[in-house]
């Protein structure tokens, strides 16, 4: 993997982690169970993406 490609993967990891943290915060503060579940699903999806990007390294 070239250094530039590695930078792209690191950037993707950072963005995915940020989105995961935002969704986790939302899931922890939302009162509506449907919205809370959707936010948790976003957390789970971003966790899977994070793992996939991490496996590229």
């Amino acid at each position: 993997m070239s250094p530039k490609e590695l930078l792209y993967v690191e950037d993707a990891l950072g963005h995915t982690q940020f989105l995961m943290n935002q969704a986790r915060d939302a899931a922890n503060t939302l009162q509506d169970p449907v919205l809370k579940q959707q936010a948790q699903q976003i957390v789970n999806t971003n966790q899977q993406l994070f793992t996939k990007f991490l496996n590229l390294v």
Side-chain angles (χ1 to χ4, degrees):
M1 182 175 292
S2 73
K4 190 167 187 168
E5 290 170 325
L6 185 59
L7 287 174
Y8 285 132
V9 172
E10 289 174 356
D11 194 41
L13 283 168
H15 288 293
T16 305
Q17 189 170 25
F18 173 76
L19 292 172
M20 192 170 31
N21 290 337
Q22 292 295 311
R24 186 177 292 120
D25 289 346
N28 289 334
T29 57
L30 287 168
Q31 299 299 317
D32 185 298
V34 174
L35 292 176
K36 189 176 197 89
Q37 182 182 14
Q38 288 177 342
Q40 187 58 49
Q41 188 172 6
I42 292 170
V43 171
N44 296 341
T45 301
N46 278 289
Q47 180 64 54
Q48 291 171 355
L49 285 172
F50 185 87
T51 302
K52 286 179 183 180
F53 284 130
L54 193 59
N55 287 335
L56 292 174
V57 178

